[in-house]
């Protein structure tokens, strides 16, 4: 097991959301142009109202990816009976940016399910970005509903296999006392 996987195991992303996998692609998720998501970090809901920028590293410019963002703690971590709630679903195609010569490929995508702002009501919620490498130009079908989404079933139904990258952050309801 790689050290990169440890936070995903400790945070119960591996086990509850996905099976153990080997990360093979570098994925960076950035909110508000400057705050990178790191496993287990906490963001205030007021900070994550706009969809993030996602950077995906890869050498093959023909590669397509499926990116999903889910909340496995809906509606509350103590009773996640809606597990999981789908917040975002994007099909990505790598393109080489002109402003960063040869370093990181920036992903651009087609939003299939629009970004839904995380609004945790009770408890600390985990919000997980999971990246799958598509096998060619396959068709990836959106789920019927955002609620009761299941990452494993979604990947199996669409022939995506195991993830190639994942990262998550925590968020909880902002109270008047915490905003000060």
């Amino acid at each position: 097991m790689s050290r990169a996987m440890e936070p995903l195991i400790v945070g119960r992303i591996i086990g509850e959301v996905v099976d153990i996998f080997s990360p093979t692609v570098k994925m960076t998720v950035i909110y508000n142009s400057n705050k990178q998501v790191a496993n287990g970090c906490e963001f205030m809901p007021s900070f994550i109202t706009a969809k993030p920028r996602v950077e995906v590293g890869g050498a093959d410019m023909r590669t397509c990816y499926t990116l999903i963002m889910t909340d496995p703690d809906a509606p509350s971590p103590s009773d996640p009976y809606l597990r999981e709630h789908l917040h975002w679903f994007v099909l990505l195609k790598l393109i080489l940016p002109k402003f960063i010569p040869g370093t990181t490929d920036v992903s651009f995508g087609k939003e299939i399910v629009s970004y839904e702002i995380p609004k945790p009501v009770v408890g600390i919620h985990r919000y997980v970005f999971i990246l799958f490498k598509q096998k060619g130009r396959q068709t990836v079908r959106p789920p019927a509903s955002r609620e009761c989404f299941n990452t494993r079933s979604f990947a199996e139904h669409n022939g995506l296999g195991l993830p190639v990258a994942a990262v998550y952050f925590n968020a909880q309801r902002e109270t008047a006392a915490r905003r000060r």
Side-chain angles (χ1 to χ4, degrees), residues 8 17 26 33 47 55-56 63 84 104 113 123 127 132 136 139 150 171 176:
L8 296 172
V17 181
K26 183 179 184 215
S33 300
F47 185 76
E55 297 177 358
V56 177
T63 304
E84 305 160 38
T104 303
V113 176
Y127 294 93
F132 294 94
T139 301
N150 183 290

Side-chain angles (χ1 to χ4, degrees), residues 60-171:
D60 187 350
M61 302 312 283
R62 298 166 295 177
T63 304
C64 295
Y65 294 95
T66 298
L67 173 71
I68 59 172
M69 176 187 175
T70 71
D71 173 1
D73 300 315
S76 77
S78 61
D79 187 19
Y81 66 87
L82 295 177
R83 177 177 290 161
E84 305 160 38
H85 183 84
L86 181 65
H87 278 269
W88 202 24
F89 170 22
V90 183
L91 297 178
L92 303 172
K93 174 77 173 135
L94 292 184
I95 65 169
L96 189 61
K98 294 178 180 156
F99 57 92
I100 309 174
T103 56
T104 303
D105 295 334
V106 178
S107 57
F108 292 88
K110 179 180 178 186
E111 218 175 30
I112 305 301
V113 176
S114 63
Y115 181 77
E116 181 178 86
I117 300 167
K119 296 179 183 173
V121 177
V122 176
I124 299 170
H125 289 241
R126 298 165 293 164
Y127 294 93
V128 189
F129 294 91
I130 305 161
L131 187 70
F132 294 94
K133 183 177 181 179
Q134 292 178 214
K135 296 170 178 76
R137 293 190 172 270
Q138 70 195 81
T139 301
V140 180
R141 293 179 179 80
S145 170
R146 287 181 186 262
E147 293 183 352
C148 299
F149 179 80
N150 183 290
T151 298
R152 285 185 185 96
S153 296
F154 174 79
E156 184 179 326
H157 184 289
N158 286 290
L160 296 171
L162 291 172
V164 294
V167 66
Y168 80 101
F169 68 89
N170 298 316

Side-chain angles (χ1 to χ4, degrees), residues 29-36 47 50-55:
V29 179
I30 301 168
Y31 276 98
N32 296 329
S33 300
N34 65 355
K35 187 67 175 167
Q36 183 175 330
F47 185 76
K51 60 185 159 189
R53 185 177 83 236
V54 179
E55 297 177 358

Side-chain angles (χ1 to χ4, degrees), residues 8-24:
L8 296 172
I9 293 169
V10 170
R12 300 180 332 276
I13 304 307
I14 292 178
E16 291 183 10
V17 181
V18 296
D19 294 323
I20 195 158
F21 67 97
S22 296
T24 56

